[in-house]
Amino acid sequence: MEPDPEKLGDGRTPTDAHQDLSEAVPHNPPPSSFDDSAQRQAMKASNIFAKTASDVGADAMPKFSGNSAQILLKVKAKARQQRMRNRYIINPDLPNKVAFDLTIGLFVIYSVLVVPLRIPFGYQLEWYSPLWCIEATMDFCFLMDICLSFFTAFMEDDHLVFNHNKIIRRYCFSWFVPDLLSTITIPIEMAIGRGGHTDILKILRMLRMVKLLRLVKLASKMSSLNLTEYLNPALLRLLQLMLKILLIAHFIACAWLFITKMEEGQCQEDKLTDSIGDWQTCGWKGNQYSQYLAAFYWAIATMMAVGYGDISAVNSDERLFAIATQLVGAICFGFIIATVSVILETFDPCGTAKRERLEEMMRYAHEKQLTVDLQRRMRRHVNYTFTLITVFKEKSVMQFLPDHVRWKLIFFTRHRAFHSLTISRKLDVRLVMTLAQALRPAQAAANDVIVYHNDVAEDCYFVLKGTFLATRVEKNIPTLVGVYRVGSDFELDAVTNCKPVTATYTAVTAGEVMWLTQKELWKAVGQHPSSAEGLKELCANNERMLEEVDESASQKWNELQTKEVLILCDRLVSLRELAENMPDLLTGNYTDADKKESMLTTWRLKPADSGGFSTPLARFARQLCGVSINADDEDVISESRESSRAMLKRGILDPTHDLKVAWDAYIGVWTILSIFMIPLNIAFEFGMPASVKMLGYAADGFFILDILVNFRTAYLNENGVYDTIPARIAKRYCSTWFAVDLASSLPWMHILGEGESGSDDGIVDDAGGGDSSGSGASLIKLVRLIRLLKLVRLLKLTRLAIPEVIQDLDISVKKAFKISGILAFVAHMIGCLWKAWKPLVATDDDGMEWWYERSGSPWDGSESEGVRNTAFTYMSAVNATRPFQFWAEDDKTGKYNWEQYFAGLYWAFTTMTTVGYGDILPRNDVERLYAIVIMLTGATVFGYIVGSVSTLANDPNGTTAKTNRYMKKVSSYLSEQEIDRDMRDEIRRAVRYAMKRKTPFNEVEILNMLPQTMRQETILQSNRELINQIFIFRRMSGTHGQNLISYLLQRMRPYYFAPDQTVFDWRNGADGVYFVVSGEMTIEQNVAELLLENGEVNKVVAENSDPDETNVLVATLKPGRLFGHENLVGDDEMPYSIYRASTYCSTHVLLASVVAEIAETQPSIIAYLQTAIRRAATEQDSAMEPQIAKYKLELDIVKGRLRGEASAARALFQFRKKKTVTPGAPHAGNGMMRQGAKIAPS
């Protein structure tokens, strides 16, 4: 019986179901059972069902049972009850709760800093004072936080727990007791303090240290914050480490204060005086900030292993604490070194990964001794590749993503290719997405050949930019058969159908292509077999077009032979149609074949009479200053091909021209020089001769000239075209580097008027002319600070083109120069800033320096109260053995300025390298503060230097280090498996030879990064010595021969054999074609087995014969010979042959499995390879005829000997057999018979 379409599954109509649902929902429920909210929800559900039943047919209605409404109401009631139970539970992610937690965090930080500091000083707040009220408010907030913690949900297993009982239980067993003890100290202190119980009060004050536990709680909350979205993860890690070190130093400083202020301590307040000796050890008497700074300075100097020695321990307690501090400092310093080393790798993960990949390729190129030109092209290719695709392994990142998310990500990262390539609209989207992941970019200059005709079709290509010509040779004349422009593809059918390359493809303009390997194409088709038909149809269409082109006639067109029917991208056009669409192509103006100067694809403004410049004002603006008021409109921009000379005639510079690169290098030299001189002049105010001044003015002039040059230098825009429109160049430059260049180039000293007074060199002397007090002195100091703006020239170095001569240097050499430069630059800046403090502060009347050399006699301490209370105290070193103060009043000749500079540099190096002689020390509180900053900075820089030098010394990515690591791994494996010593040596020699030939680098990955022509050239140069040793390669010439050589070399494996080691014999056969590279290999034949097969000897004679006597030497194979090739060319193998190394012998092997793979992927190569091997084998046999003749003579001799031995054995056997059957023989004859039976053959 057919079901009624108008009824639901239970036999009711939709109208009946709606009525039942309406009846199930009470219209006036009691408040206790059903509130207004639930009623509105139920009525809303009822209306939805009613609307569904009326608007859609019965077929579209879902099947509901009669109790569906009651179930819905029960679920909603339970949800409501749960919400009522949780309505007092606070979500920790609410904005108000987050703000409250941040406030509590600030209070915790304040408590952590203040509580340890008050204990050594015994500082107590006056009750009801403003600060006491503030801290009481903080404690009240802490008490509120305790109460709120009982009602705040917590995270467990990636979800929030709102169960009140679990919240209470968790908080009571975790942070409740520490929070309570650290909060109620003030009320208890108030109660006990009024009662006069001072001893108990001291104990309670020590309980304030419990507040430090809040820091752990704060750290646990801060760990849940994701700050990596706002700060670099590596920088955030360094910042966290520095904050932790500062906090530890703060605790150590407070503990040091507490210990030194004990009864036997050296800094008891009652024993302190105003002498410089007491200040040096403990800080100024009565000044808690000075005393704390002295303790903090000691803590940092001890932890950073500087140890100047000006503050030291004097009793056992202090010495024990100093030992503990040194241990903590050693750990902290180790963490700094480790963290800085990690930061070097993670500060810019993308840049680090790119640099490592590039360094690996350059190390490989250096190991293979590639030419400088090829190395430069490889470097440029790698840099270009990683501007378009990611340096990370994208497939591993996407392997866990669902398809729809992965496709979105692929489309986002490959949008340029999807928008440009027509194949994305012809094939299935799943196949296109998979192929897009494997596409790799490559650049092509004008006249570069992408691939040659009849080469092995390893890759197919997709054009992103430029124009490419396809030519085939007809009667030794190159003939044009196709033109490919943006969006088209070529050689897709050859790669798919395993055919050779169908034409030679040449770039006529600078272009870009994406290439795809045959392996990746087949793998993608295997993943999406349903898309194979579309690909097959596309390839068939390409083959059909090429056939039609081949069938068409050829003709001359302006000295260029072309077909009458040509391929234009993905369609066929006639020659006349092509001439109309691309007139410059066939006239020769489009190509660069006859032009020595390279051409660039540029954007420029259209001629003045075009529609974009119809108004006189627009034409005048364009002709006068080269700026168009419509320069951003596409209808006024034309794309053309120009040379550097043509651009220069229009007043535009080519950024790739050698002179422009040389100019950038020249500006870089001036930048480095100015960066060195600016802080030096600011700090020491040298009196420079006029020639040096003129040199400085010339430098400023060069920088201003560079600004003008940048306004007229073309740039490569996002479309890969050099933009030469002045308005667009100016707009881009003004929005990027103009402000930096201008700030670093203007002569601020003359603009602000400092050069108009004072000394002759334009520098105002503090002791001499000019207004050196009041507002005039402040203006002078401000002007000197403004000169620091010139240090932004350092940023210019990041955008200057580095000459390739420098890039060609060894990687270790470049790293060594970089490390030395950074260390010298930081030390130079620190040394200059050490002296540069002086112009920012007021000096005393005597002009005394704040530099101090620690001499034999201490300072007498006779300073006045006014001098001691100044912001800086300038002191001189008293040394009776010297006729003058070491750093006396500034000398206008600059003689002592140089001494001060070298002393500052000396102090910077001793501080950064943690030597800390202690002969140059800070002599006031501000100097100590500066020294603290420098010690922390120096530790960071020193950590960077140590990590870099360690990496540089070990060179873990170098050839030797990689080889040693791999050999160590092999040795460990052999030791674990308990391999005997001889076999170990044999394996090690084989592995070491393979590493020598293939290098320890990932050669397959390196070569796969390169396009086919560059990959081919790399393989040929890497194996140039090996090519001459392999006989079949000697007759391969021309581009096709070079292509085959590189293809086969990439698939050969190096094998190494020790003397008397058997390669293979007749029992197991050859596993490939062997080519002898060095050493000698012998071919032997087992004559005994040969005669046994022919029945000329018996098995006993064959098995008991001496191999040294029965193995006959057939021939000796020297370098250049081959063996194991018989199966490949269809020849018969020599019976019972043995191939054995007679000396240490190295070979290259083309394995049978590789030959089978070649036969599957490139069947056209097999026939060519067979011909080459057969020819080589024939020549080899002819060359070995003398050895073969000698072998035949030796073979006859051995055969005769073995036949004689066999005849003698048979005669003996017959004789013994006759003796056993003689009548009347004694009983012993039976034993003789038995003995004869034992030697009789079976």
Side-chain angles (χ1 to χ4, degrees), residues 450-451 460-463 468 484 488-492 505 513:
I450 305 301
V451 66
C460 55
Y461 301 88
F462 307 89
V463 181
F468 297 84
Y484 296 87
S488 58
D489 61 88
F490 52 88
E491 293 309 315
L492 181 61
Y505 297 88
V513 297

Side-chain angles (χ1 to χ4, degrees), residues 947-958 960-962 965:
S948 301
V949 172
S950 175
T951 303
L952 185 62
N954 296 328
D955 196 13
N957 297 321
T960 304
K962 281 181 173 287
R965 283 201 302 269

Side-chain angles (χ1 to χ4, degrees), residues 1111-1132:
N1111 291 343
V1112 179
L1113 177 64
V1114 178
T1116 300
L1117 301 179
K1118 296 186 177 182
R1121 302 305 180 184
L1122 74 160
F1123 59 94
H1125 57 278
E1126 290 81 7
N1127 289 332
L1128 180 60
V1129 298
D1131 293 342
D1132 295 332

Side-chain angles (χ1 to χ4, degrees), residues 5 86 317 331 455 489 581 760 848 1135:
N86 297 339
D317 294 337
I331 296 173
D455 276 359
D489 61 88
N581 293 334
D760 296 335
M848 300 171 67

Side-chain angles (χ1 to χ4, degrees), residues 826-853:
V826 174
H828 170 71
M829 294 298 297
I830 291 174
C832 293
L833 291 176
W834 179 250
K835 178 65 173 64
W837 286 91
K838 178 183 176 181
L840 305 180
V841 298
T843 61
D844 60 321
D845 294 337
D846 298 331
M848 300 171 67
E849 290 286 352
W850 57 283
W851 291 81
Y852 175 77
E853 183 190 25

Side-chain angles (χ1 to χ4, degrees), residues 426-445:
K426 296 179 180 180
L427 298 179
D428 184 77
V429 63
R430 294 171 298 174
L431 178 61
V432 173
M433 290 292 181
T434 305
L435 293 177
Q437 284 186 275
L439 290 176
R440 299 172 183 175
Q443 277 183 315

Side-chain angles (χ1 to χ4, degrees), residues 26-66:
H27 296 285
N28 296 309
S32 60
S33 61
F34 199 77
D35 61 356
D36 295 339
S37 175
Q39 181 180 3
R40 287 194 297 271
Q41 295 291 336
M43 293 301 296
K44 183 177 180 181
S46 176
N47 294 334
I48 292 175
F49 282 121
K51 183 177 180 180
T52 304
S54 60
D55 292 348
V56 303
D59 295 337
M61 282 294 296
K63 296 180 176 63
F64 289 97
S65 64

